[in-house]
Protein backbone atom coordinates (compact mmCIF):
# COMPACT_ATOMS: atom_id res chain seq x y z
CA UNK A 1 0.00 0.00 0.00
CA UNK A 2 2.78 2.46 0.87
CA UNK A 3 4.51 1.74 -2.44
CA UNK A 4 1.29 2.49 -4.33
CA UNK A 5 0.82 5.78 -2.46
CA UNK A 6 4.45 6.75 -3.18
CA UNK A 7 4.01 5.96 -6.89
CA UNK A 8 0.84 8.07 -7.05
CA UNK A 9 2.62 10.98 -5.38
CA UNK A 10 5.72 10.65 -7.55
CA UNK A 11 3.55 10.63 -10.70
CA UNK A 12 1.84 13.84 -9.60
CA UNK A 13 5.00 15.76 -8.71
CA UNK A 14 5.91 17.00 -12.21
CA UNK A 15 2.34 18.15 -12.78
CA UNK A 16 2.25 20.07 -9.49
CA UNK A 17 5.70 21.48 -10.21
CA UNK A 18 4.52 22.72 -13.61
CA UNK A 19 1.58 24.58 -12.06
CA UNK A 20 3.77 25.93 -9.28
CA UNK A 21 6.30 27.28 -11.77
CA UNK A 22 3.55 28.71 -13.97
CA UNK A 23 2.09 30.56 -10.99
CA UNK A 24 5.48 31.89 -9.96
CA UNK A 25 6.49 32.85 -13.52
CA UNK A 26 3.24 33.66 -15.36
CA UNK A 27 4.94 35.19 -18.40
CA UNK A 28 7.16 32.15 -19.07
CA UNK A 29 6.09 30.13 -22.08
CA UNK A 30 8.30 27.14 -21.41
CA UNK A 31 10.04 25.42 -18.52
CA UNK A 32 12.87 22.94 -18.78
CA UNK A 33 12.52 19.51 -17.28
CA UNK A 34 15.43 20.49 -15.03
CA UNK A 35 13.36 23.38 -13.66
CA UNK A 36 10.36 21.10 -13.20
CA UNK A 37 12.45 18.43 -11.47
CA UNK A 38 13.99 21.01 -9.14
CA UNK A 39 10.55 22.43 -8.29
CA UNK A 40 9.23 18.89 -7.70
CA UNK A 41 12.18 17.96 -5.53
CA UNK A 42 13.14 15.02 -7.71
CA UNK A 43 16.02 14.38 -10.06
CA UNK A 44 15.86 15.24 -13.73
CA UNK A 45 16.69 11.61 -14.49
CA UNK A 46 13.62 10.57 -12.52
CA UNK A 47 11.44 12.64 -14.80
CA UNK A 48 13.02 11.09 -17.90
CA UNK A 49 12.84 7.54 -16.51
CA UNK A 50 9.41 7.66 -14.91
CA UNK A 51 7.49 10.45 -16.57
CA UNK A 52 8.29 12.47 -19.69
CA UNK A 53 10.95 12.73 -22.35
CA UNK A 54 10.34 16.44 -22.93
CA UNK A 55 8.22 19.44 -22.01
CA UNK A 56 5.71 18.78 -24.79
CA UNK A 57 4.92 15.35 -23.33
CA UNK A 58 4.23 16.98 -19.96
CA UNK A 59 1.89 19.51 -21.62
CA UNK A 60 0.13 16.72 -23.50
CA UNK A 61 -0.27 14.81 -20.21
CA UNK A 62 -1.76 17.91 -18.53
CA UNK A 63 -4.22 18.34 -21.40
CA UNK A 64 -5.25 14.69 -21.18
CA UNK A 65 -5.48 14.76 -17.38
CA UNK A 66 -7.74 17.82 -17.38
CA UNK A 67 -9.79 16.65 -20.34
CA UNK A 68 -10.31 12.96 -19.51
CA UNK A 69 -13.52 13.07 -17.46
CA UNK A 70 -14.80 16.13 -19.31
CA UNK A 71 -14.45 14.29 -22.60
CA UNK A 72 -16.26 11.22 -21.26
CA UNK A 73 -19.19 13.36 -20.06
CA UNK A 74 -19.45 15.34 -23.26
CA UNK A 75 -19.76 12.13 -25.26
CA UNK A 76 -23.04 11.31 -23.52
CA UNK A 77 -26.16 10.60 -25.50
CA UNK A 78 -27.51 13.90 -26.77
CA UNK A 79 -31.02 12.51 -27.29
CA UNK A 80 -31.89 13.16 -23.64
CA UNK A 81 -30.62 16.75 -23.40
CA UNK A 82 -29.76 19.56 -25.71
CA UNK A 83 -25.98 20.20 -25.90
CA UNK A 84 -26.11 23.48 -23.96
CA UNK A 85 -28.02 21.94 -21.04
CA UNK A 86 -25.75 18.88 -21.13
CA UNK A 87 -22.74 21.18 -20.92
CA UNK A 88 -24.27 23.23 -18.10
CA UNK A 89 -25.35 20.23 -16.04
CA UNK A 90 -22.31 17.99 -16.53
CA UNK A 91 -19.29 19.99 -17.69
CA UNK A 92 -19.57 23.17 -15.64
CA UNK A 93 -19.22 21.26 -12.32
CA UNK A 94 -16.21 19.34 -13.69
CA UNK A 95 -14.54 22.54 -14.82
CA UNK A 96 -15.15 24.06 -11.41
CA UNK A 97 -13.52 21.06 -9.72
CA UNK A 98 -10.39 21.78 -11.82
CA UNK A 99 -10.61 25.56 -11.42
CA UNK A 100 -7.16 26.03 -9.87
CA UNK A 101 -5.42 24.30 -12.78
CA UNK A 102 -7.65 25.89 -15.39
CA UNK A 103 -7.19 29.36 -13.95
CA UNK A 104 -3.44 28.84 -14.15
CA UNK A 105 -3.64 27.71 -17.79
CA UNK A 106 -5.84 30.66 -18.73
CA UNK A 107 -3.99 33.38 -16.82
CA UNK A 108 -0.37 32.40 -17.49
CA UNK A 109 1.68 31.84 -20.63
CA UNK A 110 3.02 28.47 -19.45
CA UNK A 111 1.00 26.54 -22.03
CA UNK A 112 0.69 28.56 -25.24
CA UNK A 113 -1.09 25.62 -26.89
CA UNK A 114 -3.95 25.43 -24.36
CA UNK A 115 -6.52 27.39 -26.36
CA UNK A 116 -5.58 25.65 -29.58
CA UNK A 117 -5.99 22.28 -27.85
CA UNK A 118 -9.50 23.28 -26.71
CA UNK A 119 -10.49 24.59 -30.13
CA UNK A 120 -9.32 21.44 -31.91
CA UNK A 121 -10.74 19.00 -29.35
CA UNK A 122 -14.13 20.60 -28.89
CA UNK A 123 -14.38 21.98 -32.40
CA UNK A 124 -14.56 18.37 -33.62
CA UNK A 125 -17.33 17.62 -31.13
CA UNK A 126 -19.35 20.69 -32.11
CA UNK A 127 -19.02 19.86 -35.81
CA UNK A 128 -20.26 16.32 -35.16
CA UNK A 129 -23.06 17.17 -32.72
CA UNK A 130 -24.33 20.68 -33.37
CA UNK A 131 -25.75 22.18 -36.47
CA UNK A 132 -27.23 25.66 -36.84
CA UNK A 133 -30.83 25.07 -37.92
CA UNK A 134 -33.35 27.55 -36.49
CA UNK A 135 -32.21 30.82 -38.02
CA UNK A 136 -30.88 31.19 -41.51
CA UNK A 137 -28.09 33.73 -41.15
CA UNK A 138 -26.79 32.97 -44.63
CA UNK A 139 -23.38 32.17 -43.20
CA UNK A 140 -21.40 28.99 -43.71
CA UNK A 141 -22.07 26.26 -41.18
CA UNK A 142 -18.35 25.96 -40.18
CA UNK A 143 -18.25 29.69 -39.46
CA UNK A 144 -21.29 29.48 -37.18
CA UNK A 145 -19.93 26.40 -35.40
CA UNK A 146 -16.59 28.13 -34.81
CA UNK A 147 -18.39 31.25 -33.55
CA UNK A 148 -20.40 29.15 -31.12
CA UNK A 149 -17.29 27.31 -29.90
CA UNK A 150 -15.32 30.52 -29.35
CA UNK A 151 -18.27 32.02 -27.51
CA UNK A 152 -18.39 29.03 -25.15
CA UNK A 153 -14.62 29.07 -24.61
CA UNK A 154 -14.63 32.80 -23.88
CA UNK A 155 -17.46 32.49 -21.36
CA UNK A 156 -15.65 29.62 -19.62
CA UNK A 157 -12.36 31.51 -19.59
CA UNK A 158 -13.91 34.65 -18.12
CA UNK A 159 -15.70 32.62 -15.47
CA UNK A 160 -12.94 30.23 -14.41
CA UNK A 161 -10.19 32.87 -14.50
CA UNK A 162 -11.79 34.82 -11.68
CA UNK A 163 -10.10 34.51 -8.31
CA UNK A 164 -13.37 33.18 -6.88
CA UNK A 165 -15.53 31.82 -9.71
CA UNK A 166 -19.27 31.65 -9.21
CA UNK A 167 -20.19 28.17 -7.88
CA UNK A 168 -21.28 25.76 -10.62
CA UNK A 169 -24.90 25.39 -9.46
CA UNK A 170 -25.36 29.14 -10.00
CA UNK A 171 -23.04 29.57 -12.97
CA UNK A 172 -24.60 26.78 -15.05
CA UNK A 173 -27.88 28.73 -15.07
CA UNK A 174 -26.02 31.92 -16.03
CA UNK A 175 -24.09 30.02 -18.71
CA UNK A 176 -27.25 28.60 -20.29
CA UNK A 177 -28.91 32.01 -20.15
CA UNK A 178 -25.87 33.67 -21.77
CA UNK A 179 -25.92 31.21 -24.66
CA UNK A 180 -29.67 31.36 -25.19
CA UNK A 181 -30.04 35.14 -24.98
CA UNK A 182 -29.52 37.28 -28.08
CA UNK A 183 -26.50 39.59 -27.73
CA UNK A 184 -28.60 42.68 -28.39
CA UNK A 185 -30.36 42.14 -25.05
CA UNK A 186 -27.07 42.75 -23.20
CA UNK A 187 -26.73 46.27 -24.54
CA UNK A 188 -28.72 49.29 -23.44
Amino acid sequence: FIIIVKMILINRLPRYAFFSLASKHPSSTHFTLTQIAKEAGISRQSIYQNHFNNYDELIQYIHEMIDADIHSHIEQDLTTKDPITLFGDNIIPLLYSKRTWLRCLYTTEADPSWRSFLQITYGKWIKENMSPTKVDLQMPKPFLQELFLLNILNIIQLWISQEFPTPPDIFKKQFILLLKTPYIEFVS
Side-chain angles (χ1 to χ4, degrees), residues 5 7 18 26 28 31 45 49 53 56 69 78 84 93 106 111 114 117 127 158 162 167-168 171 179 186-187:
V5 171
M7 289 303 296
F18 167 83
S28 292
F31 301 106
Q45 289 73 23
Q49 291 171 353
N53 291 317
D56 292 336
D69 50 347
L78 291 173
I84 295 171
Y106 279 122
D111 179 5
W114 174 243
F117 165 76
K127 286 174 186 165
L158 289 169
Q162 297 175 38
F171 181 72
L179 289 177
F186 298 130
V187 196

Side-chain angles (χ1 to χ4, degrees), residues 28-84:
S28 292
T29 59
H30 183 85
F31 301 106
T32 66
L33 290 183
T34 301
Q35 289 172 298
I36 291 167
K38 182 177 178 184
E39 187 71 19
I42 58 178
S43 71
R44 189 181 69 173
Q45 289 73 23
S46 176
I47 287 184
Y48 287 117
Q49 291 171 353
N50 300 313
H51 304 284
F52 312 103
N53 291 317
N54 56 50
Y55 185 73
D56 292 336
E57 283 185 14
L58 171 61
I59 293 296
Q60 181 180 348
Y61 170 77
I62 288 170
H63 291 176
E64 291 170 1
M65 176 220 32
I66 288 175
D67 188 54
D69 50 347
I70 294 169
H71 195 72
S72 69
H73 275 82
I74 211 164
E75 291 298 325
Q76 284 187 359
D77 183 13
L78 291 173
T79 58
T80 57
K81 290 184 182 178
D82 71 273
I84 295 171

Side-chain angles (χ1 to χ4, degrees), residues 71 73-79 81-84 86 121-133 141 145 148:
H71 195 72
H73 275 82
I74 211 164
E75 291 298 325
Q76 284 187 359
D77 183 13
L78 291 173
T79 58
K81 290 184 182 178
D82 71 273
I84 295 171
L86 173 77
T121 302
Y122 296 103
K124 288 177 189 173
W125 185 85
I126 282 181
K127 286 174 186 165
E128 292 169 3
N129 295 287
M130 300 185 77
S131 183
T133 56
K141 180 178 170 181
Q145 290 170 322
F148 188 69

Side-chain angles (χ1 to χ4, degrees), residues 166-178:
T166 305
D169 55 326
I170 297 169
F171 181 72
K172 74 178 182 180
K173 294 172 190 165
Q174 295 169 336
F175 175 80
I176 291 169
L177 186 62
L178 280 169

Side-chain angles (χ1 to χ4, degrees), residues 150-169:
L150 293 175
N151 193 21
I152 290 173
L153 293 177
N154 285 329
I155 292 168
I156 296 301
Q157 179 177 350
L158 289 169
W159 166 60
I160 212 71
S161 295
Q162 297 175 38
E163 188 172 353
F164 302 105
T166 305
D169 55 326

